[in-house]
């Protein structure tokens, strides 16, 4: 796939990556989540980061967004080192990022319209008539213009996620981060979301990062895949590359086999000793 | 023995750390308050939530407390032929103690717990995180308006509670028990002082209680584990901690304000 | 529309709260106590003030004219010094007025009662009431009665 021309306000070379992570380490308490992770996200493409549950995929997004800081290593977004920024600069950077949270995270006390208008009202001094136009445009893009008067509690899960998507693109961000966009969706709304993510990426000239464990849907739209396990990148490449990978681990993950190198069992002492000791260790 | 000692130490350290976090939280809240000068509209919605919606319980409770004070005061004073000072008894107990304390306790149950649950759920459903990712700081946008609205609402509610309570006492004493209405008000006016009683009791006490109640409520919500269990625990803790803090502070303030009399 | 209603309700709430404070100020408390400090100060020495407390009323002919603002002890004479603040609208109290500590009712509170004198000069800020009558202390009174009875005098005891 051809790299889409970069936005004029930074004018970087075409193959300039948007996000780079170098030797990134992060641990939460005793638990090491990333060890010297290296990852590059190309501009203008849909990049998916996949891996089994509990591998810290969401943590990765929070690192990119600067909500948490790495223990060691470097994360650069558009050439800016995220974790060295002060609060003000970080907030400036975040205005160029849209994030779609797993739950949608719509403000429950605001209507659909006000939810989408929220970032516009907070960050711009646009007149209300213009905000209305912009909000209706964003809602039209996700196909929910008719639902602008509803409250979040009246929306289905898939609709809530689409409204959240409209809100995430309200400020015309450079990049958009999706946290498990397909989790818990019925097949139809899954299909809608898959199509939306792809269309928005191409139409709005975005860079999309998807964190997911839904292999089929993610592979269908991603230009590039990263597989993470045990704190490191296990494999990366285009979806075609990966589905024909020689690695048994990748094979297990991509084709959803129950057992393989990635054990079905959580690490435990030998079964017999555990049963014979009588008390859990 | 050693284990229980270590347990005690851990408990103390845990409490201390919590207190430190709470203080930092308050500092951040206060710093965020100036934002409200630019967006006073945010305050209106929260004043409605914590103030207007608390009115019914405050009105009803105030009326009943005042009426009970009237009845009990009458039963005691009638033996000394001093029923004419019933107004003083009712007014002073309401103004100095019952008004501020009961309002704060009712507020913690009605509005404080709701604040905790709201903030806790906003965290649990990633609303605060998404706000941060939209480059909007939740302190000025979400927490500060609630804090300031609460701090304004509690003194107003206390004033209303006290006034309604005195009216309730009047109803029982004058209308029902036949105490002379003129001396009810006159004795009250002779004894109740604007600054020393109304100022200290209603105004200062309720301001302090309002600050503490809202601080605890918002802090608990912000600190809550983002699970349904965590939020319910935080809500309970808001009511318990606020009640204890209000009663303890009330003793301190009373000793400072009225101790010498 | 919705926002309008909200604002209306909040406005009413604030107005109600302020009205409550207004009522507490006007109807319940003595608003004039605010202007207490504007009164002029007068001191009086008493041998014994009994249970007199600061903020006790000062009356003349049963009408309150001021408040007790301070109670101290004169280290030389060992007499109690009572400072009173008298409402400036009662500025024509003769300098030879007398002050006594009285009790309202049998169990009531103690207060300072003034008796006007006959001089033409009036009390001013910092003035002193020379003629005073101490509080009636029940124990002393009873003690006096017993002493008088023992010494065979039938005349009723004079107040100290």
């Amino acid at each position: 796939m051809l790299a889409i021309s970069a936005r004029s306000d930074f004018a970087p070379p075409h193959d300039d990556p948007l996000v780079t992570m170098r030797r990134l380490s992060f641990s939460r308490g005793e638990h090491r989540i990333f060890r010297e992770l290296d990852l590059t996200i190309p501009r203008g493409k849909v990049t998916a980061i996949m891996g089994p549950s509990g591998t810290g995929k969401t943590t990765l997004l929070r690192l990119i967004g600067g909500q948490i800081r790495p223990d060691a290593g470097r994360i650069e977004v558009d050439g800016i080192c995220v974790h060295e920024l002060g609060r003000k600069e970080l907030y400036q950077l975040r205005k160029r990022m849209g994030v779609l949270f797993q739950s949608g995270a719509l403000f429950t006390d605001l209507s659909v319209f006000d939810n989408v208008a929220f970032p516009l009202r907070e960050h711009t001094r646009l007149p209300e008539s213009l905000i209305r136009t912009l909000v209706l445009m964003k809602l039209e893009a996700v196909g929910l213009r008719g639902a602008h008067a509803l409250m979040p509690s009246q929306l289905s899960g898939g609709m809530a996620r689409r409204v959240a998507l409209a809100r995430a693109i309200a400020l015309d961000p450079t990049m958009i981060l999706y946290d498990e966009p397909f989790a818990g969706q019925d097949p139809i709304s899954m299909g809608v979301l898959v199509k939306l993510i792809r269309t928005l990426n191409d139409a709005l000239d975005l860079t999309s990062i998807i964190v997911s464990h839904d292999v089929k849907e993610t592979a269908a739209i991603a230009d590039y895949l990263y597989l993470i396990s045990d704190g490191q990148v296990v494999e990366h490449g285009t979806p075609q590359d990966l589905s024909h990978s020689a690695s048994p681990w990748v094979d297990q993950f991509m084709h959803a086999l129950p057992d393989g190198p990635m054990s079905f069992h959580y690490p435990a002492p030998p079964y017999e000793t555990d049963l014979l000791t009588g008390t859990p260790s | 023995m050693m284990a229980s000692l270590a347990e005690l130490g851990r408990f103390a350290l845990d409490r201390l750390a919590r207190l430190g976090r709470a203080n930092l939280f308050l500092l951040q809240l206060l710093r965020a308050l100036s934002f409200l000068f630019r967006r006073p509209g945010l305050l209106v919605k929260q004043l409605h939530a914590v103030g207007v919606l608390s009115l019914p319980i405050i009105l009803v409770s105030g009326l009943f407390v005042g009426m009970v004070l009237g009845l009990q005061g009458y039963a005691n004073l009638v033996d000394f032929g001093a029923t004419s000072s019933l107004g003083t008894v009712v007014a002073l107990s309401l103004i100095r103690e019952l008004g501020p304390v009961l309002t704060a306790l009712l507020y913690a149950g009605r509005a404080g717990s709701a604040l905790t649950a709201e903030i806790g759920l906003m965290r649990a459903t990633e609303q605060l995180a998404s706000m941060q990712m939209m480059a909007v700081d939740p302190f000025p946008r979400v927490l500060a308006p609630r804090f300031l609205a609460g701090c304004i609402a509690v003194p107003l509610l206390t004033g209303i509670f006290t006034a309604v309570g005195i009216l309730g006492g009047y109803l029982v004493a004058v209308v029902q028990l036949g105490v002379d209405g003129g001396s009810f008000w006159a004795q009250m006016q002779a004894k109740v002082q604007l600054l020393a009683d109304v100022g200290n009791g209603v105004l200062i006490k309720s301001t302090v209680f309002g600050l503490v109640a809202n601080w605890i409520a918002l802090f608990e919500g912000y600190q809550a584990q983002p699970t349904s269990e965590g939020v319910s625990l935080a809500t309970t803790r808001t009511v318990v901690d606020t009640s204890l803090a209000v009663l303890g502070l009330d003793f301190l303030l009373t000793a400072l304000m009225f101790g010498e009399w | 529309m919705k926002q309008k209603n909200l604002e209306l309700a909040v406005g009413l709430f604030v107005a109600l709260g302020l009205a409550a404070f207004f009522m507490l100020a006007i109807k319940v408390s003595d608003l004039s106590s605010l202007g207490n400090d504007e009164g002029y100060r007068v001191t009086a020495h008493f041998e014994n003030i009994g249970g007199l407390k600061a903020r006790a009323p000062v009356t003349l002919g049963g009408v309150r004219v001021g408040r007790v603002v301070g109670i101290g002890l004169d280290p030389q004479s060992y007499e109690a010094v009572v400072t009173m603040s008298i409402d400036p609208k009662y500025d024509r109290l003769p300098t030879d007025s007398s002050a006594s500590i009285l009790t309202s009712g049998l169990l009531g509170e103690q207060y300072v009662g003034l008796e006007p004198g006959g001089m033409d000069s009036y009390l001013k800020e910092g003035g002193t009431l020379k003629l005073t009558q101490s509080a009636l202390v029940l124990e002393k009174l009873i003690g006096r009665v017993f002493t008088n009875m023992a010494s065979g005098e039938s005349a009723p005891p004079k107040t100290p």
Side-chain angles (χ1 to χ4, degrees):
Chain A
M1 164 149 312
L2 228 112
I4 295 161
S5 66
R7 296 167 70 86
S8 56
D9 42 344
F10 335 109
H14 277 200
D15 282 329
D16 178 32
L18 185 64
V19 180
T20 50
M21 299 189 183
R22 291 286 165 263
R23 305 179 68 78
L24 185 82
S25 295
F26 182 79
S27 46
R28 185 169 285 142
E30 296 287 291
H31 185 53
R32 297 201 70 170
I33 298 177
F34 299 121
R35 316 183 261 127
E36 314 219 318
L37 183 85
D38 283 310
L39 205 140
T40 306
I41 288 164
R43 210 179 276 272
K45 305 216 176 173
V46 178
T47 306
I49 297 163
M50 308 180 66
S53 309
T55 42
K57 300 186 300 290
T58 303
T59 310
L60 201 67
L61 287 190
R62 298 184 56 186
L63 282 164
I64 297 175
Q67 285 189 304
I68 46 180
R69 278 156 207 267
D71 301 334
R74 230 178 132 72
I75 312 167
E76 284 184 7
V77 176
D78 202 20
I80 304 167
C81 186
V82 175
H83 48 94
E84 285 172 3
L85 290 180
R87 218 187 69 107
K88 241 196 177 122
E89 293 88 14
L90 186 62
Y91 271 27
Q92 282 305 319
L93 182 67
R94 282 182 184 170
K95 286 184 196 171
R96 308 205 329 240
M97 296 180 186
V99 180
L100 185 68
F101 283 86
Q102 196 168 342
S103 57
L106 293 178
F107 304 130
T108 40
D109 57 338
L110 299 179
S111 69
V112 166
F113 183 93
D114 290 332
N115 260 288
V116 180
F118 180 86
L120 294 169
R121 288 186 177 141
E122 292 298 320
H123 292 304
T124 67
R125 296 190 168 276
L126 299 176
E128 199 54 33
S129 59
L130 191 54
I131 286 184
R132 186 184 143 80
T133 313
L134 283 171
V135 169
L136 292 181
M137 277 166 61
K138 305 293 175 192
L139 281 173
E140 178 70 23
V142 298
L144 288 176
R145 188 167 47 85
H148 72 88
L150 297 183
M151 293 304 281
S153 54
Q154 296 168 284
L155 301 176
S156 72
M159 282 161 82
R161 229 166 272 193
R162 278 150 71 193
V163 172
L165 186 53
R167 187 179 65 178
I169 57 171
L171 285 175
D172 291 323
T174 317
M175 63 190 289
I176 186 155
L177 313 176
Y178 297 92
D179 186 3
E180 299 284 4
F182 311 118
Q185 297 293 306
D186 63 72
I188 296 175
S189 52
M190 195 117 88
V192 170
L193 278 166
V194 167
K195 187 172 169 295
L196 261 179
I197 292 173
R198 187 73 243 182
T199 327
L200 285 177
N201 188 75
D202 298 345
L204 299 176
D205 213 359
L206 291 165
T207 301
S208 307
I209 304 173
I210 302 174
V211 147
S212 176
H213 51 227
D214 293 292
V215 178
K216 199 162 66 70
E217 291 72 24
T218 312
I221 48 167
D223 299 314
Y224 207 76
L225 292 180
Y226 278 93
L227 286 192
I228 304 186
S229 176
D230 204 17
Q232 282 186 310
V233 173
V234 179
E235 189 71 88
H236 56 102
T238 62
Q240 290 78 12
D241 293 346
L242 289 195
S243 60
H244 302 115
S245 170
S247 153
W249 194 94
V250 176
D251 191 54
Q252 183 198 353
F253 187 81
M254 295 299 287
H255 298 110
L257 307 175
D259 214 345
M262 181 72 185
S263 174
F264 167 72
H265 293 289
Y266 190 83
Y271 198 31
E272 294 79 9
T273 41
D274 219 9
L275 287 181
L276 289 174
T277 49
T279 50
S281 47
Chain B
M1 180 63 200
M2 286 301 272
S4 62
L5 214 63
E7 185 78 17
L8 188 70
R10 193 161 46 232
F11 177 77
L13 283 178
D14 192 52
R15 286 273 120 177
L16 218 62
R18 202 175 166 76
L19 196 67
R21 282 201 303 276
N23 279 319
L24 283 178
F25 180 81
L26 182 65
L27 217 66
Q28 275 179 289
L29 265 183
L30 295 177
R31 234 185 344 218
L33 282 182
S34 62
F35 176 77
L36 291 170
F37 287 112
R38 277 185 284 151
R39 296 281 295 275
L42 291 175
L43 203 58
V44 173
K45 197 168 175 184
Q46 298 311 324
L47 264 175
H48 183 263
V50 297
V52 177
L53 296 183
S54 304
L55 259 184
I57 190 174
I58 291 294
L59 287 173
V60 172
S61 313
L63 191 69
F64 277 109
V65 169
M67 288 180 3
V68 167
L69 278 177
L71 277 178
Q72 289 289 3
Y74 182 84
N76 278 302
L77 291 172
V78 76
D79 293 344
F80 302 103
T83 49
S84 61
S85 55
L86 190 55
T88 315
V89 171
V90 171
L92 279 185
S93 19
L94 276 168
I95 288 172
R96 289 183 177 181
E97 299 294 341
L98 294 175
V101 171
L102 289 182
T103 307
L105 296 182
L106 290 170
Y107 180 86
R110 166 65 187 76
S113 57
L115 278 179
T116 305
E118 189 187 14
I119 300 295
L121 282 175
M122 281 181 94
R123 249 175 73 89
T125 55
E126 296 179 305
Q127 291 184 47
L128 294 184
S130 79
M131 201 174 272
Q132 279 175 331
M133 284 309 298
M134 280 186 262
V136 176
D137 188 348
F139 268 90
R141 186 62 179 70
V142 175
L143 296 170
R146 285 167 171 76
F147 183 68
L148 188 61
C151 289
I152 294 173
V154 172
L156 289 176
L157 289 171
T158 304
I160 294 169
F161 183 97
T162 310
V164 169
I166 290 170
L167 289 178
Y170 175 84
L171 277 182
V172 166
V174 178
V175 178
Q176 193 195 341
L177 297 172
V179 174
D180 178 53
S183 67
F184 182 89
W185 291 115
Q187 291 259 356
M188 192 190 299
Q189 282 188 358
K191 276 288 174 58
V192 178
Q193 293 172 51
L194 187 61
L195 284 188
D197 292 321
V198 179
N200 271 339
V202 178
L203 213 57
I204 296 183
K205 271 189 179 181
S206 68
T207 305
V208 172
F209 294 166
L211 198 112
V212 169
N214 289 295
W215 176 20
I216 292 178
L218 291 174
F219 178 69
E220 289 294 351
Y222 197 69
Q223 284 282 305
Q225 292 294 321
T227 58
S228 48
E229 195 192 9
V231 173
S232 96
L233 195 71
T235 312
T236 309
R237 216 153 41 191
T238 293
V239 177
V240 173
D241 285 5
T242 308
S243 306
L244 290 178
V246 163
L247 292 171
L249 275 173
D250 182 54
F251 174 73
L252 267 179
L253 288 174
T254 302
L256 282 176
M257 289 169 173
F258 306 109
E260 52 189 301
W261 307 337
Chain C
M1 183 60 193
K2 201 165 152 255
Q3 181 72 12
K4 262 271 167 52
N5 286 340
L6 216 67
E7 280 168 10
L8 193 70
V10 170
L12 280 176
F13 165 63
V14 173
L16 194 61
L18 293 180
F21 272 101
F22 195 68
M23 173 194 153
L24 291 180
I26 300 295
K27 184 84 181 164
V28 174
S29 71
D30 180 10
L31 194 61
S32 71
S33 68
L34 235 193
N36 208 11
D37 283 353
E38 287 165 22
Y40 60 95
R41 308 263 164 146
V42 172
T43 54
H45 290 244
F46 290 92
E47 203 178 300
N48 190 327
I49 58 164
L52 189 73
K53 298 270 165 54
R55 281 165 233 278
V58 176
T59 63
L60 199 160
V63 178
R64 180 152 87 219
V65 296
R67 265 176 200 279
V68 173
V69 292
I71 290 171
L73 189 70
D74 183 341
Q76 262 101 51
S77 62
Y78 302 111
E79 278 180 335
V81 183
V82 174
T83 312
M84 292 164 272
S85 171
I86 310 289
D87 194 317
K89 78 181 160 198
Y90 305 110
D91 59 350
R92 288 163 67 85
L93 300 179
T95 41
D96 63 341
S97 299
S98 68
S100 33
I101 296 175
L102 306 169
T103 309
S104 55
L106 193 58
L107 298 162
E109 199 191 33
Q110 285 183 306
Y111 64 98
V112 179
L114 300 181
E115 285 288 333
M119 302 261 287
D120 284 340
S121 55
Y122 302 116
L123 281 169
K124 287 193 190 62
E125 169 75 31
T128 311
L129 290 164
K130 299 277 168 16
L131 297 169
T132 62
Q133 196 171 30
S134 287
L136 206 67
V137 179
L138 210 57
E139 294 91 322
K140 282 192 180 171
L141 197 66
I142 294 166
R144 186 107 20 113
V145 171
F146 278 126
T147 341
N148 288 352
M149 273 164 52
S151 59
E153 285 178 31
S154 57
K158 286 185 131 180
T159 44

